Amino acid sequence: MAASSSLASSKSLLGGRRSDGVSGLGFRQPSDLRRLSSSAIQISIRRWASLPARRLEVRAGGDKFGKHFEVTTYGESHGGGVGCVISGCPPRIPLSEEDLQFELDRRRPGQSRITTPRKETDTCRILSGIHEGMTTGTSICVFVPNTDQRGHDYSEMSLAYRPSHADATYDFKYGLRAIQGGGRSSARETIGRVAAGAVAKKVLNMYMGTEILAYVSQVHKVMLPEGVVDNETVTLDQIESNIVRCPDPEYAQKMIEAIDAVRVKGDSVGGIVTCIARNVPRGLGCPVFDKLEADLGKAMLSLPATKGFEIGSGFAGTFMTGSEHNDEFYMDEHGNVRTRTNRSGGIQGGISNGETIYMRIAFKPTSTIGKKQKTVTRDRQETDLIARGRHDPCVVPRAVPMVEAMVALVLLDQLMSQTAQCGLFPVNPALQQQIAPDPNGTLLTPKLV
């Protein structure tokens, strides 16, 4: 009986409305506390009761990336603008709006007939964190205005869900959504990522000559055969030499034709972006939960329209035996420990080994298409939908700089983590030497002074 009475008292005290008007956990009146039999509990609760009433606060997640080099993106597709806030950038890094604009121009819409015809210059402004052309170490805010908005193109989508789009799931989660352009689910959100990635790329290149390049290796059924592109020698100029961003001219033309074939029908196709990172420092990544490939996988799958991620041999490695798959070690002519093959993709045990990191990211066909599709309305009525608006028939050509940016953000964040943990004291010269490129292009181990 005493236990039942105590339970009833607890429910009475915890239920109902708090003194500040918020429903949920809280005490109704200070006098209610006296009904509790435990003096220890009474003392504890009286202390809380003496504090001023506070409102409960829930913080939504999902807008921040990184632990040390932290990036927060903001803005919607058809709002006033989009951008990012970068926290943790090292000071004294030469940085200008032109550095960011180069990467944003690679990402912007309206580049060619195989991208969305939306006309945006994506001109960026750095609002803070820069003084006389150098980073100050404080937060960097980047803003890009939206200038070519057509909200009326989305009148049908305000009533019905686009199949395979985030329209429905945003409603399921929030109970409302930004109709025009998909709001935060729009690819315009990636402007902030690409701007921040430009900063990360510069820091990585200054630190160790790290180079990050991505290219289109598949569009629909047109796939680059293995070995056609050499990941150790491919250049940015080769990638940027055509509108589909495939470094092989013959296959680039086949990919363009594949996109054109569906574009004129109001349909879309997907594809694969391959990304490589050369001259990556050894030791990036942590055991267990913060493995380097785990962070890369999350980064890639956070991009719009992604559906798959592979690193190194990926799923093809399942067809090999251990003796076929293992990357044997050897000593090169400069005394560096290297691997003869690179099926691990530059990462072993979640930690970079100094070899080239390479990965592949799969992008689905664009979900907003001009063909009639079956769907339902927001009030649960079945209907047909022909979506209007300006959308990419294939997202992979414009996804190339987005992929590069996310890889750069992961590598720099892990580099700063490695420096914080393992760079406080002198390294073990027998084990922790880095492979670094010398001015003549060969790989040398830095000499100890």
Side-chain angles (χ1 to χ4, degrees), residues 331-367:
M331 300 299 297
D332 71 9
E333 63 271 29
H334 303 295
N336 296 309
V337 178
R338 305 291 302 279
T339 62
R340 295 189 184 279
T341 54
N342 191 21
R343 298 184 185 94
S344 300
I347 301 174
Q348 294 171 325
I351 299 170
S352 60
N353 63 7
E355 305 296 336
T356 297
I357 296 174
Y358 69 96
M359 66 205 81
R360 291 168 299 281
I361 304 92
F363 290 82
K364 69 182 179 69
T366 315
S367 54

Side-chain angles (χ1 to χ4, degrees), residues 411-425:
L411 293 182
L412 181 55
D413 196 55
Q414 286 280 12
L415 174 61
M416 295 176 75
S417 175
Q418 169 71 2
T419 304
Q421 181 185 16
C422 301
L424 293 177
F425 299 97

